[in-house]
Each structure stands twice: as C-alpha cells, then as structure tokens.
Amino acid sequence: MEKKRFKFVIPVMVIVAIGAVYMLRNYYAEVPNVEQLLIVICATLVSGVLAYFLFPQQGENKIDDRGPY
C-alpha cells in the first residue's frame, strides 16, 4: 500500500469520526448509543475507502494524465 495516500486518508477519517460524533450527540440524542457507535464506525470506514480511491496515487512510473492548459 502507498504510505503517501495515508497522509490524506487518516486525517479524513478522523475528521469524519469527530463530525459524526458531534452531530449524533447534539442533534440526534434520541438514537441509542450502540447505534450511534455503529453509525460512526461505518461513516469512518466508508470515508476512508472513498478517500483512498479518490486521492491520486503519486508514483514515479505513473503518467500525469492532466490535459494541456
């Protein structure tokens, strides 16, 4: 795995987890604690997977596919 990608993926996951906990505690307090925990875990994992695949891979052999500007 690329270590350079994780420089972006881990902070995205942390920000999503903190945001999810904040929103669930303040705006959706009626949701049970176990379900809040499951929501936070799923949101964190999904955001990590999406960030991993959406951030570009920095490789030496990879051709830069940006068009002429």
Side-chain angles (χ1 to χ4, degrees):
M1 289 202 206
E2 291 284 331
K3 288 186 178 180
K4 291 183 181 180
R5 275 191 186 177
F6 286 112
K7 289 181 183 178
F8 297 105
V9 172
I10 300 299
V12 166
M13 291 175 71
V14 170
I15 290 170
V16 167
I18 291 171
V21 168
Y22 175 77
M23 290 181 69
L24 285 170
R25 295 287 177 187
N26 290 331
Y27 302 121
Y28 302 101
E30 66 272 3
V31 177
N33 289 335
V34 174
E35 292 175 3
Q36 285 183 0
L37 179 66
L38 290 174
I39 291 170
V40 170
I41 290 171
C42 290
T44 304
L45 291 176
V46 168
S47 68
V49 168
L50 287 175
Y52 180 80
F53 288 113
L54 290 178
F55 279 118
Q57 183 176 0
Q58 300 291 331
E60 297 171 359
N61 297 333
K62 187 166 177 134
I63 298 173
D64 193 9
D65 59 347
R66 284 189 251 163
Y69 296 111

